[in-house]
Amino acid sequence: MTFNIKTTKGFGLLEVVIALGVLSVGVLGLVKMQAYMEVKAENALKTLDALHIAEAQMEYYQTRASHVSGAVSTASNLIPFSDLNNDDYCLTTNAVDKGFVLYCNVSPVSGGLTALSKALNTIDIKVSWADRRGVPQAVSLKTAISKYSEFD
């Protein structure tokens, strides 16, 4: 009695090539994902650094000397409310040292209330940079500041 049963041992060449093709597509996907995640992580760190610079500038503007009752430091260290729009108070050297560009804009409140516009300024802070691909990125903060302190 003879049997025609083929016994297969191992893998054929076609099966190995298909398996290598599927494996290489998966590995290439992981490499691309790693590069994408590295770019996103770098952008997140740059955004945090830019936010810290913008917050430091905003806090610097809030140390103004116009009838501030609770001021601890001397009057020479404080910014007068009338001089807030002076470009000398924009701390650009701190931003440039870290590879950022800092824009500061202080303007009186626009509108029909002229009495309010003399006592209230809007402050726009923008920190920008170019990411590794050359795409411009930016973080901006905006607030209004009164010449009157809440402690007066």
Side-chain angles (χ1 to χ4, degrees), residues 113-132:
L113 300 174
T114 57
L116 182 63
S117 67
K118 293 178 182 176
L120 190 65
N121 282 342
T122 59
I123 299 175
D124 293 317
I125 307 295
K126 182 178 179 184
V127 181
S128 62
W129 71 97
D131 64 5
R132 70 166 65 177

Side-chain angles (χ1 to χ4, degrees), residues 77-92:
N77 292 339
L78 298 174
I79 303 171
F81 184 79
S82 60
D83 291 344
L84 280 176
N85 59 355
N86 190 342
D87 288 337
D88 294 337
Y89 295 117
C90 192
L91 306 173
T92 56

Side-chain angles (χ1 to χ4, degrees), residues 61-111:
Y61 274 134
Q62 290 177 350
T63 59
R64 67 215 180 332
S66 179
H67 308 294
V68 179
S69 303
V72 178
S73 60
T74 62
S76 63
N77 292 339
L78 298 174
I79 303 171
F81 184 79
S82 60
D83 291 344
L84 280 176
N85 59 355
N86 190 342
D87 288 337
D88 294 337
Y89 295 117
C90 192
L91 306 173
T92 56
T93 55
N94 185 23
V96 170
D97 291 344
K98 295 181 180 180
F100 296 97
V101 178
L102 177 65
Y103 301 102
C104 305
N105 183 19
V106 179
S107 59
V109 171
S110 60

Side-chain angles (χ1 to χ4, degrees), residues 5-152:
I5 298 176
K6 292 183 180 179
T7 58
T8 58
K9 296 181 181 176
F11 298 102
L13 182 60
L14 184 61
E15 294 169 330
V16 171
V17 169
I18 291 172
L20 285 175
V22 170
L23 184 64
S24 64
V25 168
V27 168
L28 286 175
L30 287 174
V31 169
K32 184 170 174 93
M33 185 184 69
Q34 175 67 27
Y36 176 79
M37 294 303 292
E38 185 177 328
V39 168
K40 290 298 183 183
E42 181 182 352
N43 283 343
L45 290 175
K46 286 279 199 178
T47 302
L48 281 175
D49 288 342
L51 185 61
H52 288 298
I53 291 170
E55 286 175 342
Q57 180 64 46
M58 196 65 78
E59 289 176 9
Y60 183 67
Y61 274 134
Q62 290 177 350
T63 59
R64 67 215 180 332
S66 179
H67 308 294
V68 179
S69 303
V72 178
S73 60
T74 62
S76 63
N77 292 339
L78 298 174
I79 303 171
F81 184 79
S82 60
D83 291 344
L84 280 176
N85 59 355
N86 190 342
D87 288 337
D88 294 337
Y89 295 117
C90 192
L91 306 173
T92 56
T93 55
N94 185 23
V96 170
D97 291 344
K98 295 181 180 180
F100 296 97
V101 178
L102 177 65
Y103 301 102
C104 305
N105 183 19
V106 179
S107 59
V109 171
S110 60
L113 300 174
T114 57
L116 182 63
S117 67
K118 293 178 182 176
L120 190 65
N121 282 342
T122 59
I123 299 175
D124 293 317
I125 307 295
K126 182 178 179 184
V127 181
S128 62
W129 71 97
D131 64 5
R132 70 166 65 177
R133 294 181 180 159
V135 178
Q137 305 286 335
V139 170
S140 62
L141 297 177
K142 185 174 183 177
T143 190
I145 191 167
S146 171
K147 78 175 190 178
Y148 302 108
S149 171
E150 64 271 13
F151 302 112
D152 288 344

